[in-house]
Amino acid sequence: MSIQLNNVSKTYHLKGRSVEALKPTSLKVETGEIYGLIGYSGAGKSTLLRLINLLEKPSAGSVIVGEDNLTELTPKALRIRRQKIGMIFQQFNLIESKTVYENIEFVLKASKYSKKDVPARIEELLKLVGLNDKSSINASNLSGGQKQRVGIARALANNPDILLCDEATSALDPDTTKSILNLLKNINKTLGITIVIITHEMEVIKEIADRVGVMSGGEIIESGETYSVFSHP
Ligand code: ADP
Ligand code: ADP
């Protein structure tokens, strides 16, 4: 599914002070593409991601996902749309005291997934991320890479069209980062899911992104095919 931002901006207002976190920005991510956004902390990357994920409303402009103009959807339609956008995080955001199974079951229950289909769906997801034998292990007993695999399984539970990755490998060592990026590439290829990844790590973008936008000061200051953006001195 494609993502389109038309002159989208976001200004936060805090006690009489305003911060323009995102200046008017236009961007098109094509269906099935892996798009990277790179920039230092404070550049506006998370703000842009939260606008796609409907966690923030734009101050101006429109966000179009597939055929839907998100700024025009009813609250109910928004909720349904959100279930079709998966997200993974730097700190994995698992419920540490619960098992791998329960961490995934939780989102399927929240989306009112047919109860009788839940066990088979969880088995399928765990197979997809290579954790078939970890179903009954507590999340707290997993390695970082395994935790992110659970995070990916959870994000894919409702068959999303889009996967958003917020510094998803920043807490992992280089080898584990590689294996998670390979899993994401595989998911992109086999399931056709559009992926947007934000990171401050150039190596991650070089490894995985088809195209990249370089963000600074609330703007995309450069964009294009990854190899061409990073090829000049
Ligand atoms: P990045 O993800 O690239 O680190 P952010 O999108 O988090 O950048 O932040 C962009 C700017 O917006 C920063 O100046 C940040 O302090 C500010 N900002 C982000 N979120 C909020 C918020 N909820 N309220 C006020 N300011 C915010
Ligand atoms: P990250 O950079 O890890 O994505 P955030 O987006 O939460 O983290 O925050 C980025 C910056 O925005 C931080 O420096 C934080 O101080 C600022 N920020 C986030 N939320 C708020 C808020 N509600 N009010 C003021 N500043 C905020």
Side-chain angles (χ1 to χ4, degrees):
M1 189 154 279
S2 64
I3 303 165
Q4 196 172 341
L5 272 65
N6 297 322
N7 282 311
V8 172
S9 62
K10 180 71 189 178
T11 301
Y12 293 106
H13 298 281
L14 301 155
K15 300 176 192 144
R17 195 172 63 89
S18 50
V19 181
E20 194 177 26
L22 189 67
K23 293 181 180 155
T25 295
S26 297
L27 168 70
K28 174 107 193 251
V29 179
E30 304 292 346
T31 304
E33 193 173 25
I34 303 184
Y35 190 88
L37 280 167
I38 190 165
Y40 297 117
S41 182
K45 307 183 296 295
S46 322
T47 299
L48 202 157
L49 212 64
R50 288 199 296 264
L51 288 163
I52 298 172
N53 199 26
L54 318 166
L55 293 168
E56 302 276 8
K57 268 184 95 163
S59 305
S62 55
V63 181
I64 295 161
V65 173
E67 306 281 294
D68 298 329
N69 184 339
L70 301 185
T71 37
E72 287 170 358
L73 295 184
T74 62
K76 181 165 182 241
L78 268 181
R79 266 199 308 281
I80 293 166
R81 181 73 263 175
R82 280 206 66 193
Q83 286 172 3
K84 291 291 180 186
I85 303 177
M87 188 146 177
I88 59 173
F89 309 89
Q90 176 170 10
Q91 297 305 333
F92 322 120
N93 295 14
L94 301 181
I95 308 166
E96 294 277 329
S97 60
K98 296 212 182 276
T99 65
V100 168
Y101 187 95
E102 289 163 337
N103 267 281
I104 303 170
E105 183 185 35
F106 174 75
V107 292
L108 290 171
K109 275 185 172 166
S111 69
K112 302 204 168 67
Y113 199 88
S114 167
K115 211 170 181 172
K116 67 169 176 30
D117 297 335
V118 166
R121 178 62 180 151
I122 295 178
E123 194 181 323
E124 183 179 35
L125 287 160
L126 289 179
K127 206 184 230 172
L128 180 71
V129 301
L131 291 180
N132 325 36
D133 54 343
K134 297 285 187 279
S135 180
S136 58
I137 309 276
N138 256 26
S140 57
N141 291 326
L142 299 175
S143 68
Q146 290 170 334
K147 284 182 186 179
Q148 194 55 291
R149 284 171 188 268
V150 178
I152 292 168
R154 184 185 53 184
L156 297 179
N158 287 313
N159 267 316
D161 306 307
I162 293 168
L163 180 63
L164 304 178
C165 310
D166 185 353
E167 300 282 359
T169 55
S170 300
L172 304 174
D173 65 58
D175 285 346
T176 311
T177 293
K178 267 227 160 80
S179 75
I180 293 295
L181 293 179
N182 279 333
L183 175 59
L184 291 175
K185 278 195 254 186
N186 219 355
I187 284 164
N188 167 258
K189 215 183 282 160
T190 58
L191 304 178
I193 297 178
T194 305
I195 296 181
V196 178
I197 186 157
I198 66 172
T199 180
H200 63 279
E201 296 176 301
M202 182 148 37
E203 290 313 313
V204 167
I205 298 288
K206 281 183 171 171
E207 183 72 33
I208 196 171
D210 301 316
R211 285 192 304 139
V212 60
V214 181
M215 288 198 79
S216 177
E219 288 183 283
I220 298 178
I221 55 168
E222 190 176 358
S223 66
E225 309 269 331
T226 303
Y227 69 85
S228 75
V229 168
F230 291 139
S231 65
H232 60 72

